[in-house]
Amino acid sequence: MCGIVGYAGRRQAAPILLEGLKKLEYRGYDSAGVAVLDNGTLHVMKRAGSVEGLAPAKSFAGNVGIGHTRWATHGAPTEENAHPHIFGRIALVHNGIIENMKQLKEECLERGETFISETDSEVIAHLLDFCYEGDILAALKKTAARLSGSLALAVISLEEPQRIALARRASPLVVGRAEDGVYLASDIPAIAAKGMKVYALGENEFALLDGKEAHFYAEDGREIEKKPLDYAVEEDVPEKKGFRHFMRKEMSEIPLSIANTQQILRSYPKISALREVLCHAEYIHIVACGTAYHSGLCAKVAFETRARIPVEVAVASEYRYRDPVIQRNTLVIAVSQSGETADTLAAAELAKRSGATLLAVTNVRYSSLARLSDLVLFTAAGREIAVAATKSFNAQLTLLFALAEELAMAKGRGGCGAELFSLPELAQRALASSEEVRAWTPHFLSAKSVFFLGRGADYCVALEGSLKLKEISYLPSEGYPAGELKHGTLALIEKGTPVVAILTSSRLAEKTMNAVHETYARGAKVFLVTSLPEYRKREEILSSVLIPDIGEIYSPVLSVIPLQALAYYVSVARGNDPDKPRNLAKSVTVE
Ligand code: AGP
């Protein structure tokens, strides 16, 4: 998945492209490139690595251009594989995956054409040039009909110096119309400015930008009128504000992100529609990926315990191909920070097609998921730049736990007594004590593997702690149900293996401690995150962090904080960039 940007208008295109690409780096940062059209001459620059490497391209002359920041799918992150891809009269940038690339490439090879990259996207440039008869939009329509897979495409031709043609299928693409010209991008914040009208391309739609106007076309070729999106320009460009990394800064914003999310919920304009849906819900499916999936797992514990309603939590990439049983009165909750994750969107679409009510939990107001869903609950975490999700996870939990309480009420089960309103302050305290995990770092630096153990809600948090550590420290790690360890995985415990136990349930604490003891007896170094002070002194524990007690079900919103901090400190101590871990991107818009 990648970010694409483009401009046709009165201004110089290059600075606009570079600025837009910088804002799109959350979609990929392993190579980048721009192509600017200047009266029939094409200026091109591509670089392996981040957008910064393109700085010299800022001086390119020309009013029409396209740009790309890449997350490698086909082919290594090299300069050759960077976009734009150019063949004959065509230059293009592509986000998505072309599934029939092999067969199409063979066709081109038979015509004697040669390829310079290993990407699936280059084949599109060949096909376009083959179909091109002086009309870029017509060539794009013909070409798109031959492509299987997902695509957001921006295409220029050397023979049409004012035009950019666009196509969209299963990858987001927006167009902005401003007084000085027409913009395009993978998402709104990359281009949005005051006074700009922004339009989202729909599935299988095309567009033609001519420097002044944007024309939109349905799949069958009809020109269509589009309504501009209702969006607000983001005034605040996130900065590190004195922190060394965005991840650490975003962790410091956890209390605010919880408080703001609670505030959004209090003033939710569709509360009666939501209550109506909750009242009738007999089954709940939660679909999500990665960290959002883990918040779904935590929510399952809360929904089932508090409202006694059966909840299935599914990894979206599995759900979408599984033919899930969606009964009448099933509420499907799609959880996604970005609202653009391809698998989550596909799972949500499937649920909707099958007649379920679709509720989105997302951090991005104008996201594809928000537009697709029947009801949307926004987490108010604010923009999250670091690839590793932190404050957005705490905000998702805040929202889902509040939903569990609404659901319990709708099912006539009364309040839980937990002081959810004091969560921001408790999170502040958890943040402060999390600094202690810094001292744990040396024990993790060269660990062969790390284990996170818990039961119930603590197990869900163990999974998130492990994911965080893996993605930014590159250490092999597993989150495991404490009681399951003895059924095989215990074999991996050696002298010195770091084990992190999460203990927030007095009901389950002794049971978890059994497993902890089994690892300790085999030489593990055991670290503890707990809200139960009496366990800190146990002989098995090398070091511990005490977090405030909010009760077993809702503890994840606090117990995850020391684990996020641990991942951060280990990552930095290992010399990694926690904001931009290798091989990953913030938003995964391909399947
Ligand atoms: C979290 O640290 C990850 N980077 C990743 O697992 C992420 O949560 C996942 O890709 C889902 O993203 P979404 O919430 O934007 O859908």
Side-chain angles (χ1 to χ4, degrees):
M1 90 238 109
C2 313
I4 68 178
V5 68
Y7 173 75
R10 291 202 311 266
R11 291 169 62 191
Q12 290 296 303
I16 296 170
L17 300 180
L18 295 184
E19 200 184 314
L21 287 179
K22 200 77 213 113
K23 292 182 184 159
L24 287 171
E25 267 197 314
Y26 74 89
R27 305 172 76 89
Y29 39 76
D30 58 33
S31 59
V34 290
V36 177
L37 255 179
D38 181 20
N39 290 323
T41 306
L42 195 62
H43 305 295
V44 182
M45 179 175 283
K46 306 194 209 189
R47 290 285 181 267
S50 74
V51 173
E52 269 161 33
L54 294 178
K58 201 169 178 182
S59 56
F60 284 172
N63 309 94
V64 175
I66 51 178
H68 189 273
T69 179
R70 177 168 186 253
W71 180 77
T73 52
H74 286 73
T78 59
E79 198 165 309
E80 292 74 39
N81 290 333
H83 300 220
H85 289 289
I86 295 148
F87 185 74
R89 298 152 290 182
I90 303 296
L92 66 81
V93 289
H94 169 225
N95 172 28
I97 294 180
I98 302 306
E99 287 162 1
N100 57 341
M101 160 239 196
K102 220 169 150 224
Q103 160 204 338
L104 297 171
K105 191 166 176 178
E106 269 160 25
E107 237 177 71
C108 302
L109 291 170
E110 271 168 31
R111 285 199 294 269
E113 295 168 7
T114 49
F115 285 76
I116 50 172
S117 80
E118 306 154 283
T119 66
D120 52 343
S121 311
E122 191 182 1
V123 80
I124 310 174
H126 285 244
L127 278 183
L128 270 163
D129 191 62
F130 182 68
C131 297
Y132 187 70
E133 292 173 301
D135 181 341
I136 190 66
L137 182 65
L140 182 56
K141 284 180 183 168
K142 263 196 220 163
T143 302
R146 301 219 43 216
L147 303 173
S148 322
S150 54
L151 49 97
L153 268 172
V155 180
I156 53 182
S157 157
L158 279 169
E159 294 182 7
E160 293 172 78
Q162 284 307 313
R163 289 179 158 178
I164 307 178
L166 311 179
R168 178 210 192 271
R169 187 191 305 154
S171 278
L173 198 49
V174 295
V175 169
R177 232 174 359 193
E179 196 266 320
D180 60 13
V182 193
Y183 297 66
L184 72 100
S186 299
D187 79 7
I188 299 173
I191 51 170
K194 278 211 178 83
M196 180 184 280
K197 285 194 169 140
V198 178
Y199 306 84
L201 256 75
E203 199 52 9
N204 296 314
E205 287 179 358
F206 296 87
L208 186 65
L209 320 184
D210 64 8
K212 286 192 189 120
E213 274 304 323
H215 302 273
F216 299 99
Y217 302 90
E219 192 175 7
D220 60 12
R222 263 176 316 116
E223 182 160 358
I224 46 178
E225 276 296 315
K226 274 198 174 285
K227 272 205 347 217
L229 298 174
D230 180 20
Y231 76 98
V233 178
E234 204 178 87
E235 305 285 353
D236 252 15
V237 180
E239 283 168 21
K240 289 186 192 149
K241 298 207 172 127
F243 288 92
R244 190 166 154 209
H245 297 102
F246 276 112
M247 183 179 172
R248 191 65 195 79
K249 179 216 161 208
E250 285 160 6
M251 285 190 62
S252 78
E253 292 166 349
I254 288 171
L256 185 67
S257 124
I258 294 173
N260 287 347
T261 300
Q262 288 179 325
Q263 186 51 43
I264 285 226
L265 267 179
R266 280 195 278 269
S267 49
Y268 184 57
K270 292 188 180 164
I271 193 71
S272 49
L274 178 66
R275 286 188 177 140
E276 179 80 13
V277 166
L278 296 180
C279 219
H280 289 105
E282 287 173 33
Y283 310 93
I284 293 179
H285 292 183
I286 302 179
V287 292
C289 302
T291 289
Y293 168 70
H294 295 153
S295 59
L297 291 176
C298 297
K300 173 184 164 79
V301 175
F303 289 179
E304 291 189 340
T305 316
R306 292 288 300 120
R308 307 303 299 156
I309 186 165
V311 180
E312 185 196 328
V313 189
V315 167
S317 55
E318 289 293 318
Y319 190 88
R320 64 181 289 189
Y321 292 118
R322 213 189 58 194
D323 195 12
V325 180
I326 300 178
Q327 320 227 39
R328 257 187 81 221
N329 292 335
T330 298
L331 169 65
V332 175
I333 307 178
V335 186
S336 171
Q337 185 282 129
S338 62
E340 298 295 348
T341 300
D343 286 320
T344 306
L345 283 172
E349 271 159 14
L350 167 68
K352 214 173 158 185
R353 272 201 312 277
S354 312
T357 303
L358 180 62
L359 168 64
V361 171
T362 180
N363 199 37
V364 180
R365 229 159 240 286
Y366 314 103
S367 59
S368 304
L369 183 62
R371 293 200 296 272
L372 175 74
S373 302
D374 300 307
L375 284 166
V376 188
L377 286 170
F378 292 108
T379 49
R383 203 57 196 279
E384 196 174 62
I385 302 289
V387 166
T390 54
K391 61 175 179 171
S392 65
F393 180 68
N394 303 75
Q396 282 165 358
L397 293 181
T398 303
L399 201 145
L400 290 165
F401 291 164
L403 203 61
E405 286 306 304
E406 280 288 342
L407 197 60
M409 232 124 69
K411 302 292 177 196
R413 292 182 60 87
C416 69
E419 294 170 358
L420 291 180
F421 61 86
S422 57
L423 267 179
E425 190 231 311
L426 300 181
Q428 193 64 59
R429 278 167 47 200
L431 257 181
S433 47
S434 290
E435 281 309 298
E436 292 168 35
V437 303
R438 199 170 187 163
W440 301 0
T441 311
H443 302 284
F444 288 74
L445 287 185
S446 45
K448 254 184 14 200
S449 52
V450 177
F451 291 89
F452 292 81
L453 303 181
R455 284 177 189 256
D458 292 339
Y459 164 54
C460 307
V461 171
L463 291 173
E464 176 58 9
S466 169
L467 175 65
K468 217 86 302 176
L469 188 73
K470 272 186 274 201
E471 71 176 329
I472 59 173
S473 78
Y474 318 145
L475 288 173
S477 121
E478 259 190 88
Y480 226 71
E484 184 65 8
L485 201 68
K486 57 188 175 291
H487 296 290
T489 304
L490 194 59
L492 297 176
I493 302 290
E494 294 175 355
K495 197 165 180 311
T497 303
V499 167
V500 182
I502 300 111
L503 215 65
T504 66
S505 157
S506 37
R507 190 174 62 92
L508 299 170
E510 279 307 325
K511 299 288 174 198
T512 301
M513 284 307 289
N514 286 344
V516 165
H517 193 83
E518 286 156 10
T519 66
Y520 172 70
R522 286 154 181 91
K525 289 179 180 167
V526 184
F527 302 88
L528 182 68
V529 171
T530 189
S531 55
L532 311 169
E534 61 274 27
Y535 286 90
R536 302 184 76 186
K537 292 270 168 340
R538 293 281 284 255
E539 62 152 339
E540 297 92 337
I541 309 302
L542 185 60
S543 180
S544 65
V545 164
L546 187 68
I547 53 159
D549 186 7
I550 184 89
E552 171 181 345
I553 314 175
Y554 297 133
S555 61
V557 71
L558 302 179
S559 58
V560 75
I561 297 174
L563 306 185
Q564 294 165 334
L566 177 65
Y568 173 77
Y569 286 123
V570 174
S571 169
V572 173
R574 280 170 59 88
N576 302 341
D577 178 353
D579 288 346
K580 288 183 179 175
R582 70 184 182 204
N583 308 339
L584 300 179
K586 182 71 182 158
S587 180
V588 186
T589 57
V590 290
E591 68 166 302

